[in-house]
Amino acid sequence: MARILRRTASGMEGVSLIRATRDAALAQVLREAAGESRDVPLGEDRLVRAAAAIVEVPPVHAMLTVQDITALRNAERARSELVANVSHELRTPITAARALAETLEAGVDEPDRREQFHARLTRELERLGEIVERLLRLSRLESRAEDFDVQVVAAADLARAAVTRTAPVAERAGLRVEVHEDVPEIGRAHV
């Protein structure tokens, strides 16, 4: 408990719970002693799961258990953000591939243009495969079966690739997208 509360164990012994923890929410969990766990924030950056129950084993009348779940909650938040980001990233090639397929389905009279649309559609499908491969690699990184590698890339190259991928959607909407070359290099995790 001292480690979780970032206090010394000696300063927590032989005093009331409120003095030992300096936290009213934990004291309330002990007062209720309902036996059900409750998530209790500790300050602005930490979260614990606390439960208390009556035990009546003199001199102990109740027992409070506390588990630091900050890392677990941060991992859940990171996983939710990852799912949202992956969903967004998957939408781009799917939307582009759908637009290309619809254009081809509607019929393209010029063989060169038809070939161009077909090649773009193939690239978008390859992009989907790359995203799935990156997700599998991320899983291997998370399980520590593979090392993490950070590389420097030119942001303009990333922007050009994004513009190329979304060109069919932009064309259908009558939009023109431009890439400005005066952007710095950035570090990117190679996943």
Side-chain angles (χ1 to χ4, degrees), residues 65-86:
T65 59
V66 179
Q67 176 186 11
D68 189 342
I69 59 169
T70 306
L72 176 66
R73 190 54 51 98
N74 290 342
E76 289 171 355
R77 189 177 305 116
R79 186 164 275 125
S80 291
E81 289 172 6
L82 175 66
V83 168
N85 289 335
V86 167

Side-chain angles (χ1 to χ4, degrees), residues 38-78:
R38 179 187 322 170
D39 292 352
V40 177
L42 291 181
E44 294 181 17
D45 62 340
R46 294 187 308 132
L47 187 68
V48 296
R49 184 159 291 150
I54 305 294
V55 291
E56 293 299 341
V57 178
V60 178
H61 300 287
M63 182 171 70
L64 173 69
T65 59
V66 179
Q67 176 186 11
D68 189 342
I69 59 169
T70 306
L72 176 66
R73 190 54 51 98
N74 290 342
E76 289 171 355
R77 189 177 305 116

